[in-house]
Amino acid sequence: MTGRKSFGSDNHTGVHPAVLRAIMEANSGDAVPYGADPLTERVTARLGETFQAEGGAFLVLTGSGANVLGLSVLLRRHEAVICAQSAHINTDECGAAERLVGTKLLAVPTPDGKLTPELIAEQLDGRGDEHFAQPGVVALSQVTELGTCYTLAELAKIADFCRASDLRVFLDGARLANAAAHLDCSLAELAECADVLTFGGTKNGAMGAEALIVMGGSFAADVPYLRKQQTHLTSKMRFVAAQFGALLEGGLWRSNAAHANAMARRLADGVRDVDGVELVHPVQANGVFARLKPRHIAALREDWTFGVWNERVSVVRWMTAFDTSAEDVDAFLAGIRSTADR
Amino acid sequence: MTGRKSFGSDNHTGVHPAVLRAIMEANSGDAVPYGADPLTERVTARLGETFQAEGGAFLVLTGSGANVLGLSVLLRRHEAVICAQSAHINTDECGAAERLVGTKLLAVPTPDGKLTPELIAEQLDGRGDEHFAQPGVVALSQVTELGTCYTLAELAKIADFCRASDLRVFLDGARLANAAAHLDCSLAELAECADVLTFGGTKNGAMGAEALIVMGGSFAADVPYLRKQQTHLTSKMRFVAAQFGALLEGGLWRSNAAHANAMARRLADGVRDVDGVELVHPVQANGVFARLKPRHIAALREDWTFGVWNERVSVVRWMTAFDTSAEDVDAFLAGIRSTADR
Amino acid sequence: MTGRKSFGSDNHTGVHPAVLRAIMEANSGDAVPYGADPLTERVTARLGETFQAEGGAFLVLTGSGANVLGLSVLLRRHEAVICAQSAHINTDECGAAERLVGTKLLAVPTPDGKLTPELIAEQLDGRGDEHFAQPGVVALSQVTELGTCYTLAELAKIADFCRASDLRVFLDGARLANAAAHLDCSLAELAECADVLTFGGTKNGAMGAEALIVMGGSFAADVPYLRKQQTHLTSKMRFVAAQFGALLEGGLWRSNAAHANAMARRLADGVRDVDGVELVHPVQANGVFARLKPRHIAALREDWTFGVWNERVSVVRWMTAFDTSAEDVDAFLAGIRSTADR
Amino acid sequence: MTGRKSFGSDNHTGVHPAVLRAIMEANSGDAVPYGADPLTERVTARLGETFQAEGGAFLVLTGSGANVLGLSVLLRRHEAVICAQSAHINTDECGAAERLVGTKLLAVPTPDGKLTPELIAEQLDGRGDEHFAQPGVVALSQVTELGTCYTLAELAKIADFCRASDLRVFLDGARLANAAAHLDCSLAELAECADVLTFGGTKNGAMGAEALIVMGGSFAADVPYLRKQQTHLTSKMRFVAAQFGALLEGGLWRSNAAHANAMARRLADGVRDVDGVELVHPVQANGVFARLKPRHIAALREDWTFGVWNERVSVVRWMTAFDTSAEDVDAFLAGIRSTADR
């Protein structure tokens, strides 16, 4: 790292002070392990209420762990998953879904990372024919990997289609807080479309905490066993619960996300008039995707930390976080402008 | 929990203050994620040196995760594992090895949780016959689930046998620190027998941190991919590294373990003369296994937290931890004595 | 092979002439593949009726394939299987259940290869505790690997226990015909205890044909996909169906099995008075298990083909088949007697 | 079926008379099971020589079984497979590779079913980054699912690229005989590019017989165990061997394939001048892909059996087989012409 604020990812950040405080407070005396302690019970109950999730909430340690657990809860043994080609489960988890769940991902090219009923329907041609992989789950990402958000209306349309088509809906919510902030809606409204979803804490200010939210009660029975079998039942669970406790307290999750989103918008607004910088996706959450000249990318990376999203088309990704300040953005903007002038 | 010190398990404890301090110190500014940060690099390098591990050290989040990762590194695709019937991988991980690694566990009954070359040899009858599961790995637990430790000589004999028999050695070291303290040897000496082992931090005072130690360089190449695929590559890795950093600093891991061991010995010594309490395994680490009358167990559990190990034979397990005090032990002893008198 | 009749296994035999004839007759012109042809439909319908199987019959190519398919139909994703330690799925399939189904086998030592409600009950201690493998299926073998048969009353008791305990019953019927012949009962009566079972054709005179019989209708829906995914949907299915057609015709399966059983009894009766030969299991089907002196075993194997079942206790297995003649048995008996005299 | 010759697939046919004869001849007396019989040893040795395969030949029962076995031999535990999007393993095996091998298929769109070094190279961007699936194997189909054949030069180019890139080559040869006939080359020449390949018997006139050919000796050691574990070790193996024995005898495999290819060419030549019928892929083996008006397809299917390859673009697939006669083709051509006139 350069000393300057990283725009590489919202997981370059440390831990929000309130989260760290909650961890320290949780460290008093003994507690029964594996999540049977009072703090975990209180926090997971509150998560369940927040999402109006009949099946409850289950804490795990990583986003990939949450995704694998969620898919394994929803899939029949032989079924496949329909997802966007850009989905994290398809591109960024080293084949975890195929290896740990044993499922085929039917990856659909999309312009903006978002599935639609029409795109889903095209994957159903082989249904009922034993030779073809049989879709059982549609996996959405909210926020998508391209920084876009499904609207509530889009989610409802997909959910209606899926329910009518015997497809369950999984929602990867590693950045769900950012979507709720962008759409100015509740987490429960976002979750309505889904049978099972994840709610990411880590990118929102936690140290390492993710939640699996089980909307339908019928899917909950096997989760404890699957979580243990998939090696995510940590013994000192109270310290994971404490993190979510802090994020839920006073709506910290929402203010963290709203701030990150605002910083991304500030960044996007700041580059709109910069020659040679082209925004390639709507900026709806805390990511800005932009096309720059390759030599400008190289020059900018000498001073700043961020990722090249797609080298072939010269697109970069700039991420903001709960602790990105307006000054950080403005300094970065100055750097972009000065680079673009060269 | 009752307010009194738990003797239920060494994971009922909270986090050692030095570990918590290290976590807080690690929370300064941004860091590259996924373990490429300087702190993680420093701590894993130090772990590697400590174990004289050519293949290096890799941090993961749970003991089950470390076990699954370690086995998957060592096993050829079709191979099976020889382990003690009491092994944690066999009895306490909800079938993770079978489900995630796809391997058969050839579980061997043992009196004391310890395998021997003779017991291992009996599992090799079907070698070379494609109908039988083919052992490729011997999995040892050090400390065993019964609180016993292999001596260095016993480990060397097993290692010699395994090397001569084309068997790799995996060592589940969830309580390796306690074994090193008991045997008064270095971690490197304990690791010599193994191709891959785990080094547990969580039961030693960490919040949630385990390490996979790869002794042979040839086994290291695939570990990063397998760790990611198995969903244990946490993004804010520095906070896991910080925990091991604190435990390694000034030999805290050893003093924590030595203290826990001493408290178990104090407890064992204290019950030797109590009528109706029979120690059923040598007390070598931080666990005391004792047979009590069922009604004494029930009475004692009204006031104290501990586990019934085997209800059928009326055996309980009392565990001590880094933060169990002599006063805690003495109070518990008084409780045991007063119960035994009834 | 020595030219003399093999007593090694009922799969040393060739194909029954009626089966071969049926294969030849099936070879007329084109047929739609993958089991949608009229012959397959006719034969599987007849199998379904024979077993009074609501869920129907599905043809596969090997016994191991049938076992894996059957278990995968019955098991929830995280569940384990209770079976006898001697079960074929545990000892003779190179870990297929663990690798392909991802399930743990809870293998129970038994004197005679037969489970009982009591033995099953002992495996249920950890139920509801996420740390322990959760039994979901009880797997029986009928005939057992030790040549013994469950009586209908024993099966009913197990089935009652399992239904009351939320356990599904799988029955490995690689030699089910021999059990039906021994018990003088119908296949439907044998199947009543099970949710899913296999019906072996290969050891009964087929070339290579096994059937999965799905008793409960609710288990049938996924079978076609699982069979295809598990690579047992052969394209020219009519030639597998033809084999079962021939075995069902005129009760050939029963007469083949009854004959093999009779030959085993003839063999067992013949050795009862031979000094140095001790029968170690009741002879109820087509296998004879006997203890001989090691040097007698070695001498006898110079002239005859059969297997050493357990070298450590000097027990051999002699198998008879549909084409073992009384003369074959008598010649073998003469060999045994002459060896035992030496 | 309509009574008329099927153009649906080369697996609608029955068994070649020579194959059936060989099966009957193999049915004489006992044989040691599981492939240790002399016939299997002779035939697999001959297969190995034919392919100049250092690692030998292994018989299995289905094409999907051969593909799963082959991939599992070549892949490290975490690795992925690069294949054409149209590959059988990707589209026609109900997700077997993902479920049984646990591997991700990186499916590449191609115009003609053929991969190239350039297309493969595009899949290597994420190599060495633990977040991305790591390609370890390139899977080719020869003949491709679109009826096209790689030339020997194309194969050599791919093999060179793969060897230089630490990628192993798997070749799905379900219709390898047809490719050899089209290219007028030996099987060994076709196999040179591959580390492991399959050689299909079933579509060439067998009843149900496929071979896994292991070119490099280092890959052979685990095959017997993997084949057993994957449930394809049939006990009466001699009857599978007999089928390949017949196909190898006097080059029957080649004449069968050459005949089928010739019939496809006759069919293709016959439709070239028919209005409303457009050939959409080069006809190089025994498949003809043609675009017809939807109503013409429907009308033709009233009398003839064949498959609609892609309903969205109105493309059908006509397959010929070893037993398709010139009269069959001419009658079908007459049907096509008469339909096209309507």
Side-chain angles (χ1 to χ4, degrees), chain A residues 46-310:
Chain A
R46 188 158 170 199
L47 275 170
E49 287 154 24
T50 301
F51 282 92
Q52 297 172 22
E54 204 188 320
F58 300 84
L59 304 181
V60 295
L61 301 168
T62 65
S64 296
N67 286 337
V68 163
L69 181 57
L71 292 176
S72 69
V73 167
L74 291 177
L75 285 164
R76 297 184 67 74
R77 196 180 275 274
H78 67 282
E79 288 179 336
V81 174
I82 299 171
C83 65
Q85 199 161 58
S86 57
H88 201 268
I89 55 169
N90 188 46
T91 62
D92 278 284
E93 301 185 355
C94 198
E98 289 88 350
R99 182 71 185 77
L100 298 195
V101 190
T103 191
K104 187 179 191 69
L105 301 184
L106 299 162
V108 181
T110 66
D112 55 1
K114 288 157 75 172
L115 290 174
T116 62
E118 293 68 34
L119 288 171
I120 297 166
E122 282 178 21
Q123 297 298 314
L124 303 182
D125 286 359
R127 267 201 151 178
D129 180 334
E130 64 208 333
H131 294 266
F132 298 113
Q134 299 292 308
V137 164
V138 169
L140 311 174
S141 305
Q142 174 80 314
V143 182
T144 73
E145 277 67 31
L146 304 181
T148 55
C149 295
Y150 290 91
T151 65
L152 290 179
E154 287 170 337
L155 291 176
K157 260 181 65 182
I158 291 174
D160 286 348
F161 178 83
C162 288
R163 270 150 208 175
S165 309
D166 189 25
L167 289 165
R168 283 127 274 155
V169 176
F170 173 76
L171 196 147
D172 176 351
R175 293 189 182 97
L176 196 68
N178 301 85
H182 169 66
L183 297 168
D184 197 18
C185 68
S186 71
L187 292 170
E189 285 173 291
L190 279 179
E192 242 173 52
C193 67
D195 295 293
V196 164
L197 69 154
T198 70
F199 178 45
T202 311
K203 287 167 175 160
N204 189 246
M207 182 184 291
E210 306 285 315
L212 191 80
I213 310 294
V214 180
M215 298 303 289
S218 68
F219 292 114
D222 292 352
V223 178
Y225 307 106
L226 290 167
R227 176 174 60 173
K228 174 65 192 171
Q229 201 176 58
Q230 291 169 18
T231 75
H232 273 262
L233 183 67
T234 192
S235 56
K236 299 185 181 174
M237 188 72 87
R238 54 177 149 159
F239 298 103
V240 182
Q243 300 177 49
F244 268 112
L247 292 176
L248 289 174
E249 189 61 37
L252 179 60
W253 65 268
R254 185 183 287 274
S255 53
N256 278 354
H259 176 79
N261 288 2
M263 291 303 102
R265 273 196 308 277
R266 185 181 187 98
L267 178 55
D269 290 345
V271 296
R272 259 182 241 284
D273 63 341
V274 180
D275 267 356
V277 177
E278 176 198 358
L279 297 180
V280 294
H281 295 300
V283 176
Q284 297 175 336
N286 63 326
V288 178
F289 291 75
R291 184 175 292 115
L292 275 77
K293 294 206 180 79
R295 66 182 169 87
H296 287 171
I297 295 175
L300 196 57
R301 291 181 89 190
E302 283 170 24
D303 294 329
W304 296 89
T305 300
F306 61 88
V308 176
W309 184 253
N310 186 332

Side-chain angles (χ1 to χ4, degrees), chain B residues 16 36 49 62 75 105 110 112 135 155 191 203-205 237 275 298:
Chain B
H16 192 282
E49 287 155 23
T62 65
L75 285 163
L105 301 184
T110 66
D112 54 1
L155 291 176
K203 287 166 175 161
N204 190 245
M237 187 70 89
D275 266 356

Side-chain angles (χ1 to χ4, degrees), chain B residues 4 16 18 21 24 41 47 56 59 73 100 105 134 141 182 211 268 287 325:
Chain B
R4 290 173 165 131
H16 192 282
R21 220 154 38 228
M24 284 184 285
E41 290 183 346
L47 275 169
L59 304 182
V73 167
L100 298 195
L105 301 184
Q134 298 293 307
S141 305
H182 168 67
S325 69

Side-chain angles (χ1 to χ4, degrees), chain A residues 77-78 89-95 98-99 101-105 121-122 125 130-134 312, chain D residues 77-78 89-95 98-99 101-105 121-122 125 130-134 312:
Chain A
R77 196 180 275 274
H78 67 282
I89 55 169
N90 188 46
T91 62
D92 278 284
E93 301 185 355
C94 198
E98 289 88 350
R99 182 71 185 77
V101 190
T103 191
K104 187 179 191 69
L105 301 184
E122 282 178 21
D125 286 359
E130 64 208 333
H131 294 266
F132 298 113
Q134 299 292 308
R312 290 172 193 276
Chain D
R77 196 180 276 275
H78 67 282
I89 55 169
N90 188 46
T91 63
D92 277 284
E93 301 185 355
C94 199
E98 289 88 350
R99 181 73 184 76
V101 189
T103 191
K104 187 179 191 69
L105 301 184
E122 282 179 20
D125 285 359
E130 64 208 334
H131 294 266
F132 297 113
Q134 298 293 308
R312 290 172 193 275

Side-chain angles (χ1 to χ4, degrees), chain D residues 292-302 306 308 314-316:
Chain D
L292 275 77
K293 295 207 180 78
R295 68 185 168 87
H296 287 171
I297 295 175
L300 196 57
R301 290 182 90 191
E302 284 170 25
F306 61 87
V308 176
S314 202
V315 167
V316 300

Side-chain angles (χ1 to χ4, degrees), chain C residues 105-192:
Chain C
L105 301 184
L106 300 163
V108 181
T110 67
D112 55 0
K114 287 157 74 172
L115 291 173
T116 62
E118 293 69 34
L119 288 171
I120 296 166
E122 282 178 20
Q123 297 298 314
L124 303 182
D125 285 359
R127 266 200 153 179
D129 180 334
E130 64 208 335
H131 295 265
F132 298 113
Q134 299 292 307
V137 164
V138 169
L140 311 174
S141 304
Q142 175 80 312
V143 179
T144 72
E145 277 68 29
L146 305 180
T148 55
C149 295
Y150 291 90
T151 64
L152 290 179
E154 288 170 338
L155 291 176
K157 261 181 64 182
I158 292 174
D160 287 349
F161 177 84
C162 289
R163 271 151 208 173
S165 308
D166 188 24
L167 290 164
R168 284 126 273 154
V169 176
F170 172 76
L171 196 146
D172 176 350
R175 293 190 182 97
L176 197 68
N178 301 84
H182 168 66
L183 297 168
D184 197 19
C185 68
S186 71
L187 292 170
E189 285 174 290
L190 279 178
E192 243 174 50

